[in-house]
C-alpha cells in the first residue's frame, strides 16, 4: 500500500509495526475472532489512530497476505528464469519457500488459515497470485520431465505433492529448532525427486551444484525482507 501524500518515513515504519502485531494476534486467535480494538491495544493506538494507519481490518489481512506471496512470487520468477536445469531450480525454489516460511511464521499461519476472509477484488487478486505461483512450480516439474530426469507424471498432482510437503511445514517448524531451511529442503527434495525419478536417473551432483549456488548467494549483499509493493 503506497504511503499517503504528506506522510514521512516514520508513518511507514509505524504501519509496518502494526501489521506485525496484527499478524501475531491473527495467528494466535484467528482473524475472525480478533477484534480491531485488540489490534489497537496491541499496537498502543486508539481505534481512530489505528484506522489512520491501516484503513480497515481487511486491509491488515491484505498486507499480511502480500508479505507472504509478494516475495515468493518475485523469487519464483527469478529462479524460473535462470539458465539452469529444472532440478536445481526446483531445489532452489524449495529452499527459498522454506526460508520465507521460517522468516515469517505468524504471517504464513494467517496466509494459510484466513485468506477465505478476504472479499471481492482482494480475494480474487490473492487467488490469482496463488495460481501464478503454482503454475511456476508446475512448469519446472514439467521441464524436469522433458529433460528426462522425472518420469511422466500428472503435472497437477506432482505440483500438489511438491506444495503440500512444503506448505504444511509452518505448523510445526520452529526458527530455533534443529532443522533449518537448507536441511529441510535437501531432505524434502531427496524424497520427492526419488519418487518422481525416471527409472535409472540419478541425482548425485545435485547437492554439489546447490552448494555452489548457495556459496555465491551468501557472498552477495543480503536483501532485507520487505513488504511487497503493489499498485494503489
Amino acid at each position: 500500500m503506497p504511503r499517503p501524500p504528506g506522510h514521512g518515513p516514520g508513518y511507514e515504519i509505524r504501519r509496518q509495526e502494526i501489521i506485525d502485531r496484527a499478524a501475531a494476534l491473527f495467528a494466535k486467535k484467528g482473524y475472525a475472532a480478533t477484534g480491531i480494538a485488540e489490534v489497537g491495544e496491541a499496537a498502543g493506538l486508539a481505534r481512530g489512530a489505528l484506522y489512520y494507519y491501516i484503513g480497515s481490518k481487511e486491509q491488515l489481512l491484505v498486507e499480511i497476505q502480500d508479505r507472504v506471496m509478494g516475495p515468493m512470487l518475485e523469487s519464483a520468477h527469478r529462479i524460473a528464469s535462470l539458465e539452469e536445469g529444472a532440478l536445481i531450480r526446483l531445489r532452489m525454489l524449495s529452499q527459498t519457500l522454506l526460508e520465507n516460511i521460517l522468516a515469517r511464521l505468524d504471517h504464513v499461519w494467517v496466509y494459510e488459515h484466513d485468506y477465505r476472509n478476504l472479499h471481492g477484488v482482494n480475494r480474487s487478486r490473492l487467488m490469482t497470485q496463488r495460481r501464478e505461483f503454482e503454475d511456476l512450480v508446475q512448469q519446472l516439474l514439467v521441464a524436469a520431465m522433458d529433460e528426462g530426469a522425472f518420469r511422466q507424471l500428472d503435472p497437477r498432482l506432482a505440483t500438489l505433492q511438491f506444495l503440500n510437503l512444503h506448505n504444511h511445514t509452518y505448523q510445526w517448524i520452529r526458527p530455533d529448532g534443529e532443522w533449518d531451511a537448507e536441511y529441510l529442503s535437501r531432505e524434502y527434495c531427496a524424497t520427492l525427486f526419488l519418487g518422481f525419478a525416471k527409472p535409472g536417473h540419478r541425482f548425485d551432483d545435485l547437492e554439489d551444484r546447490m552448494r555452489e549456488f548457495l556459496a555465491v548467494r551468501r557472498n552477495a549483499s543480503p536483501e532485507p525482507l520487505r513488504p511487497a509493493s503493489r499498485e494503489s
Side-chain angles (χ1 to χ4, degrees):
M1 180 178 180
R3 188 171 72 232
H7 294 284
Y11 170 90
E12 186 60 26
I13 293 170
R14 188 72 173 106
R15 199 174 71 86
Q16 296 303 321
E17 290 173 352
I18 293 167
I19 297 168
D20 284 336
R21 299 290 178 86
L25 276 175
F26 295 164
K28 183 178 181 180
K29 297 186 62 177
Y31 173 83
T34 304
I36 195 67
E38 293 175 90
V39 177
E41 182 179 354
L45 293 170
R47 183 186 296 263
L50 182 64
Y51 284 132
Y52 168 76
Y53 285 101
I54 55 94
S56 69
K57 182 183 172 185
E58 183 166 334
Q59 185 59 43
L60 275 172
L61 186 56
V62 169
E63 298 287 348
I64 293 167
Q65 301 286 331
D66 278 349
R67 280 184 171 188
V68 175
M69 184 49 73
M72 272 313 307
L73 267 179
E74 182 180 336
S75 296
H77 278 291
R78 184 175 65 251
I79 291 168
S81 67
L82 293 174
E83 293 184 2
E84 299 281 354
L87 290 183
I88 188 67
R89 286 182 288 160
L90 281 166
R91 175 67 170 80
M92 291 176 188
L93 184 59
S94 164
Q95 184 160 330
T96 301
L97 176 54
L98 290 166
E99 286 170 348
N100 276 274
I101 289 171
L102 275 166
R104 286 199 159 136
L105 283 173
D106 286 344
H107 291 68
V108 173
W109 186 278
V110 177
Y111 173 84
E112 293 290 349
H113 286 260
D114 291 318
Y115 72 91
R116 294 178 182 85
N117 289 289
L118 293 171
H119 300 92
V121 66
N122 288 332
R123 183 164 178 175
S124 296
R125 176 173 165 271
L126 174 65
M127 299 311 294
T128 297
Q129 290 176 324
R130 285 188 171 219
R131 286 191 294 271
E132 183 180 349
F133 183 74
E134 291 172 7
D135 286 346
L136 288 168
V137 174
Q138 182 166 312
Q139 289 165 21
L140 289 176
L141 290 166
V142 171
M145 297 179 215
D146 293 341
E147 291 171 6
F150 291 169
R151 57 191 168 83
Q152 290 302 308
L153 303 158
D154 180 315
R156 178 61 178 159
L157 180 57
T159 301
L160 291 173
Q161 288 174 278
F162 182 95
L163 292 173
N164 285 342
L165 185 57
H166 290 78
N167 287 351
H168 290 280
T169 304
Y170 78 94
Q171 296 187 31
W172 51 264
I173 194 65
R174 295 292 177 267
D176 56 352
E178 59 180 311
W179 301 318
D180 61 10
E182 183 177 351
Y183 178 83
L184 287 175
S185 176
R186 185 166 64 247
E187 294 300 308
Y188 283 9
C189 287
T191 299
L192 284 167
F193 292 3
L194 182 62
F196 290 165
K198 189 174 182 178
H201 192 89
R202 298 175 63 88
F203 309 105
D204 296 335
D205 66 338
L206 178 62
E207 288 306 318
D208 289 337
R209 293 167 62 198
M210 188 64 188
R211 279 189 287 272
E212 292 174 2
F213 166 76
L214 290 174
V216 172
R217 191 181 69 168
R218 286 165 181 159
N219 288 331
S221 299
E223 293 185 10
L225 282 171
R226 63 189 187 281
S229 62
R230 63 189 187 88
E231 296 178 357
S232 58

